[in-house]
Amino acid sequence: MWDERFSEPGYAYGTEPNDFLTTVADRIPMGRVLSLAEGEGRNAVFLAGLGFEVTAVDASMVGLAKAERLATERGVSITTIHADLADFEIEPAAWQGIISIFCHLPPVNRAALHERCLRGLVPGGAFVLEGFTPRQLELGTGGPRTRELLMDLETIRQELPGFQFEVAREIERPVVEGKYHGGTAAVIQVFAVKSLP
């Protein structure tokens, strides 16, 4: 499905970074950043432009090829990894930041991935997440059509022990990103820092 979507002309979610990410990017410690479900590269390229060493992971080779092309066009360098996030191993204590923007997985896979994110971050490292909440099903402006793939704040807090939450909210906001995110959306936003030992 993702190869098919990313094979369409243009960029499915545009080439500009996610709005929430832009508001918190300066709070991510400079260094290595891992971007999960990166797709066509808009967030990875933005972060690389700020000076981060960015690795983008996605299940779609088509999306990653477009990410590399976008990086070249913008004059930055990113590393891409083709992998299924259900079993992608995150290098322990190796990342200053991990980004999860509209990365929607089945609950069991998501919880396991979040556990690997905790292990993957250095102490003081930042985790950035934005995703759709169940209310998004009523709004219909993008995102999964299946409730189990959506997120709520209480569950995400439980999946991220060992973090200090600096931003943790469910809100409605305009999400206008390419042709697949278009209008008022119900989202969860998290900026959390891995606790120091």
Side-chain angles (χ1 to χ4, degrees):
M1 172 257 179
W2 289 110
D3 278 348
E4 183 179 336
R5 177 165 293 185
F6 295 148
S7 294
E8 296 172 6
Y11 285 76
Y13 302 99
T15 57
E16 295 307 306
N18 170 265
D19 286 343
F20 176 58
L21 176 59
T22 65
T23 67
V24 297
D26 63 349
R27 294 156 69 177
I28 301 169
M30 190 52 64
R32 300 179 72 207
V33 172
L34 181 66
S35 185
L36 306 172
E38 174 57 38
E40 298 168 307
R42 62 197 180 100
N43 296 315
V45 167
F46 163 71
L47 291 168
L50 296 180
F52 292 100
E53 181 185 338
V54 185
T55 297
V57 183
D58 202 90
S60 170
M61 286 289 289
V62 176
L64 291 174
K66 289 171 87 170
E68 290 171 355
R69 194 156 60 243
L70 183 62
T72 299
E73 289 171 4
R74 298 277 173 91
V76 298
S77 176
I78 63 172
T79 300
T80 57
I81 297 176
H82 177 240
D84 183 340
L85 289 176
D87 53 20
F88 175 65
E89 286 301 325
I90 297 175
E91 189 181 348
W95 304 93
Q96 277 70 40
I98 298 180
I99 312 300
S100 176
I101 303 294
F102 298 119
C103 173
H104 290 272
L105 300 173
V108 171
N109 293 341
R110 187 187 65 226
L113 178 63
H114 286 166
E115 185 178 325
R116 296 196 295 274
C117 287
L118 176 62
R119 292 200 305 267
L121 285 166
V122 299
F127 181 71
V128 181
L129 176 146
E130 182 167 53
F132 293 113
T133 70
R135 171 145 165 67
Q136 181 65 10
L137 292 173
E138 302 167 36
L139 298 175
T141 51
R145 303 273 189 253
T146 309
R147 192 189 190 289
E148 75 158 0
L149 294 177
L150 302 169
M151 306 178 216
D152 64 83
L153 186 56
E154 181 181 354
T155 303
I156 295 302
R157 279 186 179 277
Q158 292 170 0
E159 290 177 0
L160 297 172
F163 283 95
Q164 296 175 318
F165 287 79
E166 296 185 5
V167 178
R169 60 193 174 215
E170 291 185 21
I171 61 169
E172 289 185 14
R173 74 170 188 92
V175 177
V176 180
E177 301 174 331
K179 66 179 182 179
Y180 287 102
H181 289 169
T184 300
V187 298
I188 174 176
Q189 297 179 332
V190 168
F191 181 88
V193 175
K194 181 175 177 178
S195 299
L196 298 173

